[in-house]
Amino acid sequence: MNKHIKLSVLASVIALIVASAGLLWAPEQHTLLTFEITSLALLLFNSISITRCVYKNNESKHVKRVALLCTGSLLLCICGDVVNFNLLEQYYIHGNVIKHDYLVDSVLFFAPGYTLLLLACFLVIKSKVCNNTRILGLYFLIALCVSLASFYSMYIPKAASYTLILTWAYSFIITAVGLASVLLVKSYGALKAPLSVWILSLGLIFAALADALIGLFWIYGNGGEGFYPQIRYINWVFYIISQSIIIHLPKVMVMNAQNKSS
């Protein structure tokens, strides 16, 4: 197990500890926050280290671009995490219906962050898939339909327009990220895809699941009050594990290219 995998595993283990402690023992919030920041710091260090490794050992501009996009995506998402921590403890910012609507403000970071990740995924996906207009059209159509159905199942009509518009738009982006897992596996041979590609796909699915939990149970759940703080800890596990996997995208790209050439 190389150092990058070890750091990802460590960040995920810390996230599991935080979630278990929050759900079972409810320690001081600032204590859990310290561990959460530690997980994020480990992921950022790991992502930068992976990018440096790619730049040092690979000449492909294609791979370098993927590495930069992944690190940029993580940086933006971490900014979104800071907003989600709600350090100023502000509630009902955009109306009197959604208590935890500070989460909507974090979309301003998460949306571009996951858009960068989506671009990275499309750079990795083989050209024969990307150049197939029918497949791409079907992909975006399914993403649109799933995001609309998901949003319709949870939204509260009396919520502020700002909240409704941003959460739907973000629902489409994160759904597209989750569905990119299918294209990724398909581009590497579908059922014959390497294990590393399947794990990466799982990371993309976990990213979509983490945000689905936020929308369904944290923002719009319980009539706008949210099922807090329990859902916060459950979401954190899926989110950190997903990021721990996703940052390895450029390395998996290099590894499978080497295996194919050999």
Side-chain angles (χ1 to χ4, degrees):
M1 186 183 295
N2 65 40
K3 65 178 182 179
H4 296 133
I5 296 177
K6 289 179 180 178
L7 286 173
S8 284
V9 171
L10 180 58
S12 298
V13 169
I14 293 174
L16 286 169
I17 292 173
V18 167
S20 299
L23 291 170
L24 300 176
W25 304 299
E28 291 292 330
Q29 191 61 43
H30 69 269
T31 302
L32 294 180
L33 184 60
T34 300
F35 282 100
E36 289 171 340
I37 292 174
T38 300
S39 285
L40 293 176
L42 280 172
L43 288 178
L44 182 57
F45 174 81
N46 201 15
S47 183
I48 293 173
S49 178
I50 290 172
T51 298
R52 289 183 61 186
C53 182
V54 167
Y55 267 74
K56 182 179 179 180
N57 301 310
N58 198 285
E59 296 297 326
S60 172
K61 293 182 179 180
H62 197 62
V63 177
K64 292 177 181 178
R65 195 173 295 121
V66 169
L68 283 177
L69 285 170
C70 288
T71 298
S73 171
L74 179 61
L75 274 169
L76 285 168
C77 288
I78 289 176
C79 291
D81 292 323
V82 173
V83 175
N84 285 350
F85 288 152
N86 193 23
L87 300 176
L88 298 179
E89 297 187 355
Q90 295 179 315
Y91 303 94
Y92 298 108
I93 300 171
H94 305 292
N96 58 2
V97 177
I98 306 297
K99 180 178 181 179
H100 301 276
D101 55 4
Y102 54 86
L103 294 166
V104 182
D105 293 334
S106 70
V107 168
L108 299 175
F109 294 102
F110 280 111
Y114 279 120
T115 298
L116 292 183
L117 175 62
L118 201 56
L119 291 174
C121 288
F122 275 95
L123 285 176
V124 174
I125 293 169
K126 293 181 180 178
S127 59
K128 64 180 181 181
V129 175
C130 289
N131 291 337
N132 191 317
T133 305
R134 184 175 299 177
I135 291 178
L136 287 179
L138 181 61
Y139 163 76
F140 283 111
L141 179 61
I142 292 175
L144 179 62
C145 292
V146 172
S147 63
L148 282 171
S150 175
F151 180 73
Y152 181 77
S153 69
M154 64 185 178
Y155 91 109
I156 299 175
K158 292 182 179 180
S161 298
Y162 171 86
T163 299
L164 294 173
I165 292 171
L166 258 68
T167 50
W168 176 78
Y170 184 59
S171 175
F172 172 72
I173 293 172
I174 199 62
T175 299
V177 169
L179 290 176
S181 61
V182 178
L183 292 183
L184 187 65
V185 170
K186 179 177 175 56
S187 69
Y188 278 96
L191 295 178
K192 297 180 181 179
L195 178 61
S196 58
V197 174
W198 282 100
I199 294 174
L200 271 176
S201 298
L202 183 63
L204 295 173
I205 293 171
F206 275 10
L209 177 59
D211 280 288
L213 291 172
I214 286 182
L216 188 59
F217 296 105
W218 196 346
I219 297 178
Y220 293 106
N222 194 24
E225 289 290 310
F227 295 96
Y228 183 86
Q230 294 83 0
I231 193 59
R232 180 183 189 278
Y233 301 120
I234 297 172
N235 159 265
W236 187 252
V237 171
F238 283 103
Y239 170 70
I240 292 297
I241 291 177
S242 72
Q243 291 287 10
S244 297
I245 295 172
I246 289 167
I247 59 175
H248 291 268
L249 183 60
K251 288 196 69 177
V252 170
M253 185 182 181
V254 171
M255 181 176 65
N256 285 295
Q258 292 174 341
N259 290 341
K260 184 177 179 180
S261 61
S262 61

